[in-house]
Amino acid sequence: MADHQEASVTLPSDPASVSTARTYVSDVLVEWGMPREAEAADTVRLIVSELATNAVMHTRGESPTFTVDLHLERDEQLRIGVTDSHPRFPKRLPAAVQQDNGRGMVIIRWLAAECGGSLSVTPTAEGGKTVWIALPWTVPVPQAGLLP
Protein backbone atom coordinates (compact mmCIF):
# COMPACT_ATOMS: atom_id res chain seq x y z
CA MET A 1 0.00 0.00 0.00
CA ALA A 2 1.19 3.56 -0.63
CA ASP A 3 2.85 5.55 2.16
CA HIS A 4 0.13 8.16 1.93
CA GLN A 5 -3.45 8.09 0.66
CA GLU A 6 -5.92 10.95 0.50
CA ALA A 7 -9.58 11.43 -0.29
CA SER A 8 -11.77 14.51 -0.08
CA VAL A 9 -15.32 15.61 -0.73
CA THR A 10 -16.94 19.06 -0.54
CA LEU A 11 -20.65 19.19 0.16
CA PRO A 12 -23.31 21.88 0.62
CA SER A 13 -24.00 22.90 4.22
CA ASP A 14 -27.33 21.17 4.27
CA PRO A 15 -28.57 18.54 6.76
CA ALA A 16 -28.88 15.98 3.92
CA SER A 17 -25.13 16.28 3.35
CA VAL A 18 -24.37 14.65 6.72
CA SER A 19 -25.57 11.28 5.40
CA THR A 20 -23.68 11.83 2.14
CA ALA A 21 -20.46 12.56 4.06
CA ARG A 22 -20.89 9.46 6.20
CA THR A 23 -21.48 7.24 3.15
CA TYR A 24 -18.52 8.76 1.29
CA VAL A 25 -16.16 8.12 4.21
CA SER A 26 -17.49 4.58 4.65
CA ASP A 27 -16.85 3.81 0.97
CA VAL A 28 -13.30 5.23 1.12
CA LEU A 29 -12.48 3.17 4.22
CA VAL A 30 -13.65 0.00 2.45
CA GLU A 31 -11.51 0.93 -0.56
CA TRP A 32 -8.54 1.31 1.78
CA GLY A 33 -9.14 -2.11 3.32
CA MET A 34 -11.31 -1.51 6.38
CA PRO A 35 -14.31 -3.86 6.51
CA ARG A 36 -17.59 -1.92 6.53
CA GLU A 37 -18.74 -3.86 9.60
CA ALA A 38 -15.55 -3.20 11.61
CA GLU A 39 -16.01 -1.47 14.96
CA ALA A 40 -13.43 1.13 13.89
CA ALA A 41 -15.54 1.89 10.78
CA ASP A 42 -18.58 2.50 13.02
CA THR A 43 -16.51 4.87 15.16
CA VAL A 44 -15.26 6.82 12.15
CA ARG A 45 -18.79 7.09 10.73
CA LEU A 46 -20.08 8.45 14.04
CA ILE A 47 -17.23 10.97 14.26
CA VAL A 48 -17.86 12.14 10.69
CA SER A 49 -21.60 12.43 11.39
CA GLU A 50 -20.97 14.61 14.44
CA LEU A 51 -18.37 16.80 12.72
CA ALA A 52 -20.50 17.24 9.60
CA THR A 53 -23.55 18.06 11.72
CA ASN A 54 -21.52 20.71 13.54
CA ALA A 55 -20.34 22.16 10.22
CA VAL A 56 -23.95 22.42 9.04
CA MET A 57 -25.73 23.48 12.24
CA HIS A 58 -23.26 25.72 14.05
CA THR A 59 -22.02 27.86 11.17
CA ARG A 60 -25.37 29.65 11.10
CA GLY A 61 -25.50 29.69 7.30
CA GLU A 62 -22.15 31.50 7.05
CA SER A 63 -20.39 28.48 5.50
CA PRO A 64 -22.11 27.47 2.25
CA THR A 65 -20.09 24.25 2.06
CA PHE A 66 -17.95 21.97 4.20
CA THR A 67 -15.15 19.61 3.19
CA VAL A 68 -14.30 16.19 4.58
CA ASP A 69 -10.65 15.17 4.16
CA LEU A 70 -9.21 11.73 4.84
CA HIS A 71 -5.49 11.04 5.09
CA LEU A 72 -3.97 7.62 5.71
CA GLU A 73 -0.29 7.77 6.67
CA ARG A 74 1.87 4.64 6.21
CA ASP A 75 -0.95 2.34 7.32
CA GLU A 76 -0.46 3.73 10.82
CA GLN A 77 -2.69 6.77 11.28
CA LEU A 78 -5.99 7.91 9.84
CA ARG A 79 -6.62 11.65 9.94
CA ILE A 80 -10.15 12.95 9.42
CA GLY A 81 -10.69 16.65 8.89
CA VAL A 82 -13.90 18.61 8.47
CA THR A 83 -13.41 22.16 7.24
CA ASP A 84 -15.94 24.99 7.11
CA SER A 85 -15.53 28.70 6.44
CA HIS A 86 -17.02 29.94 9.72
CA PRO A 87 -14.35 31.56 11.95
CA ARG A 88 -15.74 30.42 15.31
CA PHE A 89 -13.93 27.43 16.77
CA PRO A 90 -16.10 24.70 18.28
CA LYS A 91 -16.66 24.81 22.00
CA ARG A 92 -18.47 22.71 24.50
CA LEU A 93 -21.97 24.04 24.95
CA PRO A 94 -23.67 23.77 28.32
CA ALA A 95 -26.00 20.80 27.91
CA ALA A 96 -28.94 20.59 30.23
CA VAL A 97 -30.31 17.13 30.90
CA GLN A 98 -33.34 17.76 28.71
CA GLN A 99 -31.38 19.20 25.75
CA ASP A 100 -30.84 17.08 22.66
CA ASN A 101 -27.75 18.97 21.52
CA GLY A 102 -24.53 20.48 22.83
CA ARG A 103 -22.72 17.19 23.32
CA GLY A 104 -21.20 16.59 19.86
CA MET A 105 -17.66 17.73 20.67
CA VAL A 106 -17.72 15.81 23.96
CA ILE A 107 -18.72 12.65 22.07
CA ILE A 108 -16.07 13.21 19.38
CA ARG A 109 -13.30 13.87 21.90
CA TRP A 110 -14.30 10.80 23.93
CA LEU A 111 -14.44 8.53 20.85
CA ALA A 112 -11.03 9.73 19.67
CA ALA A 113 -9.47 9.22 23.10
CA GLU A 114 -11.11 5.80 23.50
CA CYS A 115 -9.41 4.70 20.26
CA GLY A 116 -6.03 6.12 21.23
CA GLY A 117 -6.47 9.18 19.02
CA SER A 118 -6.67 12.92 19.42
CA LEU A 119 -8.65 16.00 18.38
CA SER A 120 -7.25 19.32 17.21
CA VAL A 121 -8.61 22.43 15.53
CA THR A 122 -6.61 24.54 13.09
CA PRO A 123 -7.52 27.82 11.38
CA THR A 124 -7.62 27.95 7.59
CA ALA A 125 -5.94 30.63 5.50
CA GLU A 126 -9.43 31.76 4.42
CA GLY A 127 -10.59 32.45 7.97
CA GLY A 128 -12.44 29.21 8.71
CA LYS A 129 -11.27 26.16 10.60
CA THR A 130 -10.63 22.45 10.29
CA VAL A 131 -11.48 20.05 13.08
CA TRP A 132 -9.02 17.15 12.87
CA ILE A 133 -9.30 13.73 14.42
CA ALA A 134 -6.23 11.47 14.35
CA LEU A 135 -6.83 7.76 14.97
CA PRO A 136 -4.55 4.75 14.85
CA TRP A 137 -5.17 2.68 11.71
CA THR A 138 -6.24 -0.73 12.98
CA VAL A 139 -6.60 -2.60 9.71
CA PRO A 140 -4.09 -5.45 9.34
CA VAL A 141 -1.69 -4.81 6.46
CA PRO A 142 -1.61 -7.73 4.01
CA GLN A 143 1.80 -9.38 3.81
CA ALA A 144 3.38 -9.43 0.36
CA GLY A 145 3.51 -12.86 -1.21
CA LEU A 146 0.93 -14.44 1.08
CA LEU A 147 -2.29 -15.67 -0.45
CA PRO A 148 -5.50 -15.83 1.55
Side-chain angles (χ1 to χ4, degrees):
M1 189 173 268
D3 279 352
H4 181 81
Q5 295 189 75
E6 293 184 7
S8 180
V9 64
T10 299
L11 300 165
S13 288
D14 180 89
S17 294
V18 174
S19 174
T20 304
R22 188 174 49 247
T23 300
Y24 174 80
V25 168
S26 185
D27 291 345
V28 169
L29 293 178
V30 168
E31 182 180 314
W32 290 351
M34 183 178 285
R36 199 172 301 273
E37 65 279 355
E39 186 175 333
D42 289 340
T43 299
V44 171
R45 284 190 292 267
L46 180 53
I47 288 170
V48 168
S49 288
E50 291 292 334
L51 290 176
T53 297
N54 285 352
V56 171
M57 303 305 287
H58 298 296
T59 59
R60 299 179 180 17
E62 293 182 39
S63 183
T65 63
F66 68 94
T67 300
V68 179
D69 291 298
L70 299 169
H71 301 266
L72 179 57
E73 301 287 339
R74 294 186 301 278
D75 293 324
E76 296 172 1
Q77 184 182 60
L78 176 66
R79 286 179 41 93
I80 307 155
V82 175
T83 303
D84 64 58
S85 57
H86 194 280
R88 185 170 43 91
F89 276 38
K91 62 181 179 176
R92 183 183 301 183
L93 299 175
V97 174
Q98 57 272 65
Q99 282 184 315
D100 290 334
N101 59 15
R103 296 179 185 91
M105 291 306 292
V106 172
I107 292 168
I108 294 165
R109 192 176 303 276
W110 183 86
L111 286 169
E114 183 74 12
C115 296
S118 62
L119 179 145
S120 62
V121 183
T122 57
T124 65
E126 298 78 26
K129 82 256 181 210
T130 303
V131 179
W132 289 102
I133 302 294
L135 301 171
W137 183 251
T138 59
V139 176
V141 178
Q143 300 298 315
L146 297 178
L147 297 175

